[in-house]
C-alpha cells in the first residue's frame, strides 16, 4: 500500500518531534521555576523582570515569537555585533520553552502561594534561612500541586512543536508537508499525522501521570 | 506597497510608521478570525458538552474520545486537514472560513469542558430542590441551572477568546492575510524583517493585555449568584 | 399494620454500592400525623425522606403514598417500575425542606415561591403572587419579598424555603434537619414556624431533627432509626422517658449529656 | 562565511524552497532539481566535500540568507533589481518563462496573466515569489490574488476553485500538471508583457551580501559547467526546453540587476 | 523586677491596625521557670509567644531574652532595630510548638526532626539522626520514625512537633495551646510528654493552655492575661483558689462551668 512508503520518513520526523518535546518541556520547566519563583522574590528587580517575561510570552503569539527568534534576532545580533544566529533546533526549542515556561511560571507561583503560611512560620521558628525554606519546605510541597497543570502544559507543548515545521525544522509536520508536496495525497497523510500526534499525546499524558504519582508519594497516606 | 499603501524606508521610525496602517489591516483580519473562530467554538463546544452528558454511552463515549482527540492534536495539522482534505470531498470553503473553522474545532474541545464544569459547579442541591418542586427537566435546566452557570462560564470562555486570538497567526500558513502574514509579506518585499515582526509582537501584547483586562472586568461585574430573575 | 397510613414502606431495601442503607425497612405514617425520626448519623434518616421525594430510587420492596405505589405503577394488574409521569404525579403530594435551604440564589424571594406554582400548577401570575404573599405572611417575611436569598439570614432563608414548599399545597411535608445548618440564635424562629404549621394545619409531617425538646412538643410519634431499620417507636413521652431498647437509651443519653 | 571558512568547516549549507523542478527534496529526503544538481557539481569542483541541505519555504530564503542561516540558495531565484541590493546573485544558471495552471478543460478560458486585470477571477501566487510584482505591474488588484505558501498547495487551490488559476513559471506548471489530472497547463499561453517586453526570468544561485568571494568562485565554476553536455542534460531532465537553456546565456547579472 | 529573668517584656506595645493587642505589657519569666498564660480569647496570649519567636514585630517597648535585647541590637552604645542576623541568633534560644502541629508533610518523621539540626546547626547526618532518635524515644514514637505525618494521629503528630523543637536544644520552649486541636482522647498523651519535660529538664517553659488542671500541676506560676496586659499572676494554688481580681474569678468560673 502507498501509505507504507510514508511511514519511514514520518517516523524520522516523529523522532525529531519527540526530541524537541523533551528538550522544550525540560527547558519550559526550568523557566517556569525561574520566573515563577522570581515573581515572588522580595527583590524588586527580579520580580519586575519575571512579570515582564511572563506577560510578554503569554501575551504574544507563539508563532510570532518563533519567527522573531528565527528571523529577527540574528539581524539584531548582527547590528550589535553578536552572533545570535541560533540553529533552527535551538530557536525552536527556545521559543517553545519560553512560551510554555511563561504559562508554567503562573502555575509555579500559584502552587507556592498555596503552601500554608504556617509552614513558613515553623521554618522560621526552626531558624531556616529564606532560601532553605524555599528549597526544603515550600517547593517540595508545591511541586505535587503543580503536576496536573504541568501535564496539560506538556501536551500543549507537544502540539506546539508542529509550528517549528514553519521554520524548516524536519519535525513530523514538516516531513508530512514534504511528502504531500511530492504525492498530493492529502487525506492519507494528514490522517496518519493526526493519529501519530494523538498517540504521542496519550503516551506523554501517561508519563506525566506516572511522574505525578512519584513526586506526590508522601501524599498517599493523606486522609 | 500593500493594500495600496506605500512604505517609507528612509529610516526605521518612518518605516515603522508607514507600515502601521498596513499591519492594522492585518489586525482587522486577525480580529475577524478570532470572533468567527470563537463563535464556532462556542456552538460546537455546547454540542459536544451536550453529547458528553448524554445518558447513552453510545453517544457519550465517542463524544468524549473526540474531545480528547481534538485537544491532543495540533491546530496546524487540523488546519491542514480541513484545508486540503475537505475539498477532496466537495466541501469548499474560502481560506478564511477554513481557518476560523479549524480554530473553532480545536477550541470546541476546550469549551465543552468549560460548559461541563460550569454546569456541574451549580450545586446538586439546586437540582434536587427543583425536582422536589416538580419543575420539568427543561425548565430546571433553563431557569435554575443555566442562569447560575453562565457567570461562571463566561470568564472562562473569555480566556479562551484571548487564546484563540494568539493562535490566529497559524492561519497564515493557508495564506489568510492576518497580521503575521502581512508582516511577512512586508518583509519579503522590503527585506526588512525585524521591524514588522517586532511590531506584530507589540500589537499582540497590547491586544491581549486589553482583552485580559476586559475579561477580568467582566468577571468582577457578573453577579456571582447567577443572572437575577425577579 | 395500619391501613389508614398515608405513607407506608414495606420491606424496603436501599443500597449504595456495597452498603445497605435501608435494610428491609417497614415504616408508616398516618394521615395528619406528625412523626419525628431520630437516630445516629448514617442510620438512613435522610435517605427515607429522599426516597419519598423520589431523589433516590429503591432496590427492593414497595412504598405506598396516599394509597398508590410510589416507585411502581399498576399496569394490567401487575406492578411495573414507575414512569417519570407517574413520579411527577406522586411528587405533587409532597413538599420538602432541606437542611441547606437550597433556595434559588438568582431569584428574588417571591420568585422563588411563585416559580413552581406558575409553571407546574399553571396558576396565573396573579394567583401565584397572592399565594406567595399569603405564605410569606405565614412565615413572617412579607417585607422581604423582593430581596435575594443572599440578603437574608440563614433563619429567614429557611423560612422562605418552607413557604416555597407550602405554596405547592402538598398534603405531606418532609423536613430534613431544617435547623442544623443554622447558628444557634436563629434556630428558634424556624422551629416556631414549623410548630405553628403543626398546630394550625392538618398536614401530615415527617421530620428529621436533633432538637429533642422540640420533637417532644410537636410529635405524635417518634421513630428511632438504627442501621436502616426502625428500632423503636412510640409517643414522645414514652420514648424519651422509658425507652424499651438499650440502644435507644444509649443514644438519648449521649445526646442529652454530650461527652 | 568566507570560502576559506566554508572549506575549513568542510560543508556548504544550501537552501532549497521545495519547488519542483528548481530545488526540492524527494521522499527519501534527497535534494533534487536544477539548482541542487548544478550546485552539487560546483561544490565538488570547489573541493567542498559535503553539502548540508536545508529545505524551507520560498519566503524564508532571503531572510534566511540575511540571518546567515545558510551560505547559498539553490532555488533558481530570479535575478531582480530590487533583490540585488539585499543579496548577491551568481550569473544566471537557467532561464524560464511563465505559465498558468488551470482546471481541466480550462473552463474560464484563461490564456494570460492579463486576464486577471480584466475579469473578476482570482489568481493564486506563491508568497514571496515574483509573480506578485508582475500582477501588480499588470494592474491586477490585490483582492484578486490568493497567496499560497508553497507549490504543493497549488493543485488543490486550483482544482477546488479557490482560485481560477495558479501563476508560476512554466517549468513549475509542467511538473504540477503531471501530479493530478484535475488540472492542466493553460494552452496557447502568452507571456505577460511588461514595459513593452515579454517577461522572462533568469534564475541564479543566491548568497549573502558579504559572500563576494564565494559568489566569484561559483561564477567561475558555473561558467565552465554550462559549456558541458552534463549541464544541458540536467536542464532537459527537469523539463527545461533547449530554448530555455540557450536563453540563459543571453543576459548577464549586471544587465538584470540594472534593469528598469 | 527580677534581674534574673531570662525573658523580660518592658512596656511592650503591639498593634494590628487600630487594635492594640499588647498594651504596655510588662512581663517576665525566670530561668528554668515554668509559666502558664491563661486568659480570654483575643487577650494577646498567642501574640506574646509569636513576638518572642520573632513571627511578629513590636511597635514600642523592649524585650530582653537571655540578657540581650530581642528586637534591638546595641551598636555604639545605642539600641537600633535588630538585623536579620541578630534575629537568627536570638531565635536559636527558643523552640516553639504550635496549635496546628505544622509538621512538614512531605518529610518522614525522622527527617522532620533532623532537617533543621543538619541545615541550621550544621550537625552531621549521623549526629542529627542520633539526636532525632533520642527525642523520638523521649516522646515515645521510636517505632514511627519512617512514617509520614499523615500516617499519624493528631496526638502523635504533636509529639513529633515537640521532638522537632527540642532537637534544636533551645533553652526556652514555647507552647501555644498544644492540645486544643486534638480530639479529647488524644490530649492526655501530649500532656504527659510536656509534663515529663517540665519535670526532667531544666528548660524554661512558657505555655498557653486551657487545660487548667494540667496547668496547675506543672506551673511554677500562672499569668492571667486580659486585654493585652497581665492582670494578675501568682502560684497556681493561689490564683486558682483565691484570685484577687473579679475579672479572673469570672473567667475561671466561666471556664470551669461552661454555659
Ligand atoms: N449518594 C450516596 N452515595 C453513597 N453513599 C451514600 C449516599 N447518600 C448517603 N449515603 C450513605 O448512606 C448512609 C445513610 O445516609 P443518610 O444520609 O440517610 O444518613 P442520616 O441518618 O441522614 O445521617 P445524618 O444524621 O448524618 O444526616 C450513610 O452511610 C451515607 O454515607
Ligand atoms: N495578623 C493579625 N492581623 C490582625 N489582627 C490580629 C492578627 N493576629 C492577631 N490579631 C488580633 O490580635 C488579638 C490578639 O490575638 P491573639 O491570637 O494573641 O489572642 P489569644 O489570646 O491567643 O486568643 P485565643 O485564645 O483565641 O488564641 C485578637 O483580637 C486578634 O484578632
Ligand atoms: Mg441526614
Ligand atoms: Mg491564641
Amino acid at each position: 500500500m502507498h501509505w507504507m512508503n510514508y511511514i519511514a520518513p514520518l517516523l524520522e520526523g516523529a523522532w525529531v518531534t519527540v526530541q524537541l518535546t523533551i528538550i522544550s518541556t525540560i527547558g519550559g520547566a526550568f523557566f517556569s521555576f525561574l520566573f515563577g519563583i522570581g515573581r515572588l522574590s522580595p527583590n524588586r528587580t527580579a520580580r519586575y523582570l519575571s512579570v515582564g517575561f511572563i506577560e510578554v510570552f503569554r501575551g504574544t503569539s507563539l508563532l510570532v515569537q518563533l519567527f522573531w527568534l528565527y528571523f529577527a534576532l540574528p539581524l539584531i545580533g548582527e547590528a550589535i555585533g553578536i552572533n545570535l544566529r541560533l540553529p533552527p533546533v535551538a530557536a525552536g526549542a527556545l521559543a517553545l520553552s519560553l512560551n510554555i515556561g511563561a504559562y508554567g511560571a503562573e502555575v509555579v507561583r500559584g502552587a507556592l502561594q498555596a503552601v500554608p503560611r504556617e509552614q513558613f512560620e515553623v521554618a522560621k521558628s526552626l531558624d531556616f534561612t529564606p532560601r532553605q525554606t524555599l528549597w526544603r519546605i515550600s517547593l517540595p510541597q508545591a511541586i505535587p500541586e503543580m503536576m496536573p497543570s504541568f501535564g496539560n502544559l506538556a501536551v500543549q507543548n507537544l502540539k506546539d512543536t508542529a509550528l517549528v515545521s514553519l521554520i524548516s525544522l524536519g519535525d513530523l509536520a514538516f516531513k508530512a508537508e514534504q511528502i504531500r508536496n511530492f504525492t498530493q495525497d492529502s487525506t492519507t497523510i494528514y490522517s496518519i499525522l493526526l493519529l501519530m500526534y494523538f498517540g504521542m499525546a496519550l503516551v506523554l499524558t501517561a508519563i506525566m501521570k506516572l511522574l505525578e504519582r512519584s513526586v506526590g508519594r508522601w501524599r498517599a497516606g493523606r486522609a | 506597497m500593500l493594500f495600496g499603501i506605500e512604505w517609507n524606508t528612509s529610516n526605521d521610525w518612518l518605516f515603522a510608521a508607514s507600515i502601521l496602517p498596513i499591519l492594522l489591516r492585518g489586525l482587522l483580519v486577525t480580529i475577524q478570525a478570532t470572533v468567527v473562530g470563537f463563535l464556532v467554538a462556542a456552538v460546537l463546544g455546547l454540542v459536544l458538552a451536550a453529547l458528553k452528558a448524554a445518558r447513552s454511552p453510545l453517544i457519550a463515549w465517542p463524544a468524549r474520545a473526540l474531545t480528547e482527540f481534538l485537544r491532543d492534536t495540533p491546530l496546524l495539522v487540523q488546519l491542514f486537514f480541513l484545508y486540503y482534505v475537505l475539498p477532496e470531498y466537495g466541501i469548499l470553503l474560502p481560506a478564511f472560513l477554513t481557518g476560523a473553522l479549524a480554530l473553532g474545532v480545536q477550541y470546541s474541545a476546550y469549551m465543552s469542558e468549560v460548559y461541563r464544569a460550569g454546569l456541574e459547579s451549580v450545586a446538586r442541591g439546586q437540582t434536587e430542590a427543583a425536582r422536589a418542586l416538580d419543575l420539568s427537566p427543561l425548565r430546571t435546566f433553563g431557569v435554575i441551572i443555566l442562569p447560575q452557570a453562565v457567570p461562571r462560564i463566561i470568564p472562562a470562555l473569555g480566556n479562551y477568546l484571548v487564546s484563540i486570538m494568539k493562535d490566529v497567526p497559524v492561519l497564515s500558513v493557508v495564506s489568510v492575510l492576518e497580521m503575521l502574514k502581512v508582516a511577512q509579506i512586508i518583509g519579503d518585499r522590503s527585506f526588512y524583517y525585524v521591524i514588522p515582526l517586532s511590531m506584530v509582537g507589540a500589537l499582540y501584547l497590547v491586544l491581549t493585555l486589553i482583552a485580559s483586562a476586559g475579561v477580568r472586568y467582566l468577571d468582577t461585574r457578573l453577579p456571582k449568584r447567577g443572572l437575577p430573575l425577579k | 399494620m395500619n391501613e389508614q397510613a398515608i405513607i407506608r414502606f414495606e420491606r424496603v431495601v436501599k443500597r449504595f454500592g456495597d452498603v445497605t442503607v435501608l435494610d428491609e425497612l417497614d415504616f408508616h405514617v398516618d394521615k395528619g400525623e406528625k412523626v419525628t425520626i431520630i437516630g445516629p448519623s448514617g442510620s438512613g434518616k435522610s435517605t427515607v425522606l429522599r426516597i419519598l421525594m423520589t431523589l433516590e430510587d429503591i432496590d427492593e420492596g414497595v412504598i405506598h403514598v396516599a394509597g398508590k405505589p410510589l416507585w411502581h405503577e399498576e399496569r394490567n394488574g401487575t406492578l411495573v417500575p414507575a414512569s417519570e409521569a407517574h413520579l411527577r404525579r406522586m411528587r405533587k403530594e409532597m413538599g420538602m425542606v432541606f437542611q441547606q435551604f437550597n433556595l434559588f440564589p438568582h431569584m428574588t424571594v417571591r420568585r422563588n415561591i411563585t416559580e413552581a406554582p406558575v409553571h407546574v400548577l399553571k396558576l396565573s401570575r396573579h394567583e401565584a403572587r397572592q399565594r406567595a404573599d399569603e405564605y410569606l405572611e405565614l412565615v413572617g417575611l412579607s417585607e422581604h419579598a423582593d430581596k435575594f436569598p443572599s440578603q437574608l439570614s440563614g433563619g429567614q432563608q429557611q423560612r422562605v424555603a418552607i413557604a416555597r414548599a407550602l405554596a405547592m399545597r402538598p398534603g405531606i411535608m418532609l423536613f430534613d434537619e431544617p435547623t442544623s445548618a443554622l447558628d444557634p440564635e436563629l434556630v428558634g424562629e424556624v422551629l416556631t414556624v414549623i410548630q405553628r404549621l403543626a398546630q394550625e394545619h392538618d398536614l401530615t409531617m415527617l421530620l428529621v431533627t436533633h432538637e429533642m425538646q422540640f420533637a417532644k412538643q410537636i410529635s405524635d410519634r417518634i421513630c428511632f432509626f438504627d442501621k436502616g431499620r426502625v428500632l423503636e417507636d412510640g409517643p414522645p413521652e414514652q420514648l424519651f422517658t422509658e425507652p424499651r431498647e438499650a440502644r435507644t437509651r444509649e443514644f438519648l443519653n449521649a445526646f442529652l449529656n454530650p461527652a | 562565511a568566507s570560502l576559506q571558512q566554508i572549506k575549513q568547516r568542510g560543508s556548504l549549507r544550501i537552501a532549497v524552497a521545495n519547488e519542483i523542478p528548481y530545488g526540492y527534496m524527494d521522499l527519501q529526503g534527497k535534494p533534487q532539481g536544477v539548482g541542487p544538481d548544478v550546485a552539487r557539481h560546483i561544490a565538488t569542483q570547489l573541493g567542498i566535500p559535503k553539502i548540508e541541505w536545508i529545505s524551507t519555504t520560498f519566503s524564508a530564503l532571503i531572510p534566511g540568507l540575511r540571518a546567515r542561516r545558510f551560505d547559498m540558495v539553490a532555488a533558481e531565484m530570479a535575478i531582480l533589481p530590487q533583490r540585488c541590493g539585499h543579496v548577491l546573485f551568481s550569473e544566471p544558471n537557467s532561464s524560464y518563462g511563465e505559465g498558468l495552471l488551470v482546471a481541466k478543460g480550462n473552463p474560464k478560458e484563461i490564456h494570460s496573466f492579463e486576464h486577471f486585470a480584466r475579469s473578476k477571477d482570482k489568481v493564486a501566487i506563491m508568497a514571496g515569489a515574483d509573480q506578485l510584482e508582475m500582477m501588480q505591474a499588470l494592474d491586477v488588484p490585490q483582492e484578486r490574488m490568493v497567496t499560497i505558501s508553497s507549490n504543493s498547495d497549488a493543485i488543490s487551490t486550483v482544482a477546488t476553485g479557490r482560485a481560477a488559476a495558479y501563476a508560476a513559471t512554466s517549468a513549475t506548471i509542467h511538473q504540477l500538471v503531471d501530479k493530478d489530472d484535475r488540472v492542466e497547463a493553460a494552452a496557447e499561453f502568452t507571456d505577460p508583457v511588461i514595459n513593452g517586453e515579454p517577461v522572462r526570468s533568469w534564475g541564479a544561485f543566491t548568497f549573502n551580501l558579504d559572500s563576494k568571494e564565494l559568489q566569484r568562485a561559483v561564477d567561475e565554476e558555473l561558467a565552465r559547467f554550462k559549456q558541458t553536455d552534463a549541464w544541458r542534460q540536467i536542464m532537459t531532465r527537469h523539463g527545461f526546453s533547449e530554448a530555455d537553456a540557450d536563453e540563459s546565456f543571453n543576459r548577464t547579472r549586471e544587465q538584470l540587476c540594472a534593469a528598469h
Side-chain angles (χ1 to χ4, degrees), chain C residues 101 114 161 180 201 255:
Chain C
F101 333 143
T114 57
S180 58
H201 290 75
F255 218 85

Side-chain angles (χ1 to χ4, degrees), chain B residues 1-3 83-84 87-88 92-95 98 173-175 177 181 184-185 188-191 193, chain D residues 59 62-63 66 82-83 86 127-128 132-133 136 142 146-149 153 156-157 160-162 182:
Chain B
M1 189 181 76
L2 192 64
F3 302 126
Y83 191 75
Y84 293 116
E88 309 256 329
L92 187 64
L93 298 171
T98 313
V173 302
V174 296
S175 64
L177 281 178
K181 186 81 204 172
Q184 266 182 296
I185 293 177
D188 290 344
R189 314 274 294 281
S190 68
F191 306 99
Y193 298 95
Chain D
S59 61
I62 292 182
R66 289 168 61 85
Q82 63 269 33
R83 283 181 184 150
H86 298 279
L132 176 66
E133 269 83 4
Q136 284 183 338
Q142 190 80 41
V146 175
T147 319
I148 63 176
S149 53
D153 307 353
S156 84
T157 303
T160 59
R162 283 199 177 101
R182 290 174 298 172

Side-chain angles (χ1 to χ4, degrees), chain B residues 1-8 17-23 25:
Chain B
M1 189 181 76
L2 192 64
F3 302 126
I5 303 170
E6 287 287 351
W7 47 77
N8 178 343
S18 64
I19 63 172
L20 184 62
I22 310 178
L23 288 177
R25 292 278 290 269

Side-chain angles (χ1 to χ4, degrees), chain B residues 117-134:
Chain B
L119 293 175
E120 277 179 8
S121 73
V122 178
R124 203 178 78 163
Q126 292 289 303
T127 323
E128 293 188 343
R131 193 168 152 104
L133 290 170
D134 231 3

Side-chain angles (χ1 to χ4, degrees), chain C residues 55-203:
Chain C
L55 301 176
E56 307 279 0
D57 57 7
I58 60 177
D59 294 301
E60 291 171 30
V62 183
I63 299 170
H64 282 81
V65 172
K68 274 171 284 183
L70 177 65
W71 278 102
H72 301 84
E73 257 173 305
E74 246 160 315
R75 203 170 285 160
N76 310 330
T78 57
L79 284 185
V80 295
S83 66
E84 184 57 33
H86 176 79
L87 292 181
R88 279 173 68 83
R89 258 187 323 268
M90 295 304 291
R91 272 201 295 268
K92 288 229 172 69
E93 307 283 336
M94 291 168 285
M96 180 155 177
V97 174
F98 298 84
Q99 183 174 353
Q100 295 296 342
F101 333 143
N102 293 344
L103 293 183
F104 304 131
H106 59 302
M107 294 179 174
T108 59
V109 163
R110 185 181 283 114
R111 179 82 191 256
N112 258 282
I113 301 175
T114 57
E115 183 69 16
V118 169
H119 294 283
V120 178
L121 304 182
K122 311 289 177 200
L123 297 196
S124 72
R125 290 224 163 262
H126 180 73
E127 282 173 294
R129 204 185 148 101
Q130 275 190 330
R131 194 184 277 195
D133 290 346
E134 169 190 332
Y135 285 106
L136 276 175
E137 172 97 47
L138 178 79
V139 300
L141 290 172
S142 297
E143 68 277 34
H144 298 294
D146 294 313
K147 292 193 180 159
F148 284 96
S150 56
Q151 296 168 299
L152 301 182
S153 75
Q156 292 171 323
Q157 290 190 43
Q158 191 61 297
R159 281 143 68 199
V160 174
I162 294 172
R164 181 174 68 174
L166 289 173
M168 298 294 284
R169 302 257 165 94
I172 304 170
M173 278 288 284
L174 312 173
F175 296 85
D176 190 3
E177 306 197 20
T179 59
S180 58
L182 297 176
D183 290 341
E185 71 269 27
L186 304 176
V187 169
E189 61 188 60
V190 174
L191 293 184
T192 310
V193 167
I194 299 177
Q195 186 157 31
R196 173 133 31 106
L197 270 185
Q199 286 161 355
E200 298 174 10
H201 290 75
D202 55 359
L203 277 169

Side-chain angles (χ1 to χ4, degrees), chain D residues 214-225:
Chain D
L214 178 62
Q215 176 201 33
R216 209 170 313 122
V218 170
D219 274 348
E220 278 170 27
E221 291 304 330
L222 179 61
R224 216 166 291 152
F225 191 41

